[in-house]
Amino acid sequence: METAMKMTRRTVLSAALCLGLGFGIAGSAYAEKPVVLGFSQVGAESEWRTANTASIKDAAKQAGVTLKFADAQQKQENQVKAIRSFIAQKVDVIAFSPVVESGWDTVLGEAKAAKIPVILTDRAVDAKDKSLYVTFIGSDFVEEGRRAGRWLLERAKTMPAGDINIVELQGTVGSAPAIDRKAGFAEIIAANPKLKVIRSQTGDFTRAKGKEVMEAFLKTDGKKINVLYAHNDDMAIGAIQAIEEAGLKPGKDILVISIDGVKGAFEAMMAGKLNVTVECSPLLGPQLMKVAKQVLAGETVPKRITTEESVFPAEVAAKEFPNRKY
Ligand code: AHR
């Protein structure tokens, strides 16, 4: 009898414990534990990047994700340090926008060994081992370069006979957008031998550097320059200032083509100083939070998630401006 009683009590106790534990897991303690996401950002080099950071921070808040945010100030070594610190802190998931394409295998191998999934946003890495990251969410930079090239190819049809001299302001050396936007543009303009890139140099995606490099281009080539192709709006805006200071009219004496579609570019288009911007959306936050949760829930996500984007020529700038979110 006593044994039976004891057994019953033990059974009840273990059942209660099981239930309690089970309830705890399903009801709150574990299931509702917020996801911890370590995010390593490139820096704050452009209007685009500021909007991208805001999008990630806002989306994390909305999604109830605990965000550990680190700004790498455009230095790969800082990103490597941040990723290692996220691993040491045992975050649930790591996301980052790699400043340059190469040199990630070791640190991503460390994340993999620690069983922390990695999501790439905005920029790609050139790692051969694709299992080092779960997915890459971002724009097709080659296509953006092609879109810029196609705009010029069309415009060239209405330009006077003779060579059309282009100067190119490249993004950060070794970064995916700089490599891909250069390649996409070159691929398209090759169809018209009149279109010639006479100078191409990095402006590191910043206004200050864009202005400085354009000043140098203007000093050596001055009136020979017909077109500026800038890998982002910030460099184009810096260069526009240099063109004006040189006594020329941006958008008229020198056609200006750029990429991103930030508000500053729309303002420049409305002022007649920029001819076209190819959209590159920085609003990746909501998609990142969604994918991070799917990955942690064990769902399969596509290896590549491409952002949908448009091209905005100056002619539509005023109409589109009120709709711009960044
Ligand atoms: O990686 C995206 C690029 O980085 C944007 O075009 C540029 O503005 C930014 O700095």
Side-chain angles (χ1 to χ4, degrees):
M1 179 77 178
E2 225 213 298
T3 321
M5 273 279 292
K6 261 189 200 155
M7 277 199 52
T8 312
R9 258 194 219 139
R10 205 179 293 143
T11 314
V12 169
L13 187 67
S14 37
L17 266 175
C18 280
L19 269 174
L21 210 63
F23 186 74
I25 288 169
S28 60
Y30 190 77
E32 283 175 22
K33 191 176 150 259
V35 167
V36 180
L37 166 71
F39 186 86
S40 167
Q41 179 61 290
V42 168
E45 75 283 6
S46 60
E47 207 177 319
W48 188 100
R49 190 66 56 195
T50 308
N52 180 245
T53 295
S55 170
I56 286 158
K57 289 186 173 171
D58 290 352
K61 227 180 253 166
Q62 293 287 324
V65 167
T66 304
L67 181 68
K68 290 182 182 289
F69 184 90
D71 178 336
Q73 297 175 335
Q74 283 192 280
K75 290 198 176 74
Q76 181 173 33
E77 73 223 54
N78 290 345
Q79 290 202 295
V80 172
K81 266 190 217 149
I83 294 170
R84 290 207 167 114
S85 135
F86 295 148
I87 297 172
Q89 293 173 65
K90 296 187 170 49
V91 299
D92 298 310
V93 53
I94 293 171
F96 79 116
S97 176
V99 62
V100 289
E101 271 191 344
S102 54
W104 299 102
D105 300 58
T106 308
V107 73
L108 293 187
E110 290 166 24
K112 190 180 173 187
K115 297 192 169 41
I116 301 176
V118 173
I119 299 172
L120 304 177
T121 70
D122 164 38
R123 297 183 183 181
V125 298
D126 65 3
K128 283 207 180 71
D129 178 0
K130 305 289 178 221
S131 76
L132 291 176
Y133 60 91
V134 195
T135 183
F136 165 36
I137 307 170
S139 310
D140 180 340
F141 295 138
V142 179
E143 187 52 31
E144 289 172 352
R146 288 191 192 117
R147 286 176 180 161
R150 282 187 204 114
W151 182 89
L152 183 58
L153 211 56
E154 267 311 296
R155 184 63 186 254
K157 291 179 187 162
T158 64
M159 289 167 81
D163 283 351
I164 298 171
N165 296 320
I166 305 161
V167 292
E168 180 180 31
L169 280 170
Q170 295 181 38
T172 302
V173 176
S175 69
I179 296 167
D180 294 352
R181 288 171 183 170
K182 182 172 182 48
F185 183 77
E187 178 195 313
I188 297 298
I189 63 161
N192 181 348
K194 272 179 19 180
L195 294 169
K196 294 200 162 73
V197 178
I198 56 164
R199 305 247 166 221
S200 182
Q201 207 176 306
T202 182
D204 212 12
F205 282 132
T206 68
R207 281 185 195 203
K209 216 53 209 308
K211 178 169 188 272
E212 189 187 309
V213 177
M214 189 68 199
E215 280 166 355
F217 287 162
L218 286 161
K219 229 175 241 165
T220 48
D221 296 299
K223 293 206 165 126
K224 253 172 75 186
I225 305 171
N226 306 111
V227 178
L228 162 67
Y229 167 46
H231 289 189
N232 82 342
D233 290 338
D234 279 74
M235 291 189 295
I237 292 165
I240 284 171
Q241 215 183 316
I243 296 170
E244 286 180 316
E245 284 171 12
L248 295 167
K249 287 198 174 67
K252 291 177 187 75
D253 298 327
I254 297 179
L255 298 183
V256 185
I257 305 170
S258 72
I259 299 185
D260 275 355
V262 298
K263 283 188 181 163
F266 277 76
E267 281 158 359
M269 286 195 288
M270 291 188 289
K273 299 177 181 182
L274 185 103
N275 302 84
V276 62
T277 184
V278 174
E279 189 180 33
C280 173
S281 176
L283 309 177
L284 305 175
Q287 222 165 0
L288 170 60
M289 300 311 146
K290 185 175 161 206
V291 169
K293 286 186 175 183
Q294 287 173 328
V295 168
L296 293 173
E299 290 172 34
T300 312
V301 296
K303 197 77 195 174
R304 176 75 169 98
I305 301 171
T306 313
T307 323
E308 285 188 14
E309 288 150 351
S310 315
V311 176
F312 297 104
E315 295 72 23
V316 304
K319 187 171 162 263
E320 289 294 332
F321 186 66
N323 308 324
R324 301 306 294 164
K325 300 214 160 37
Y326 61 93

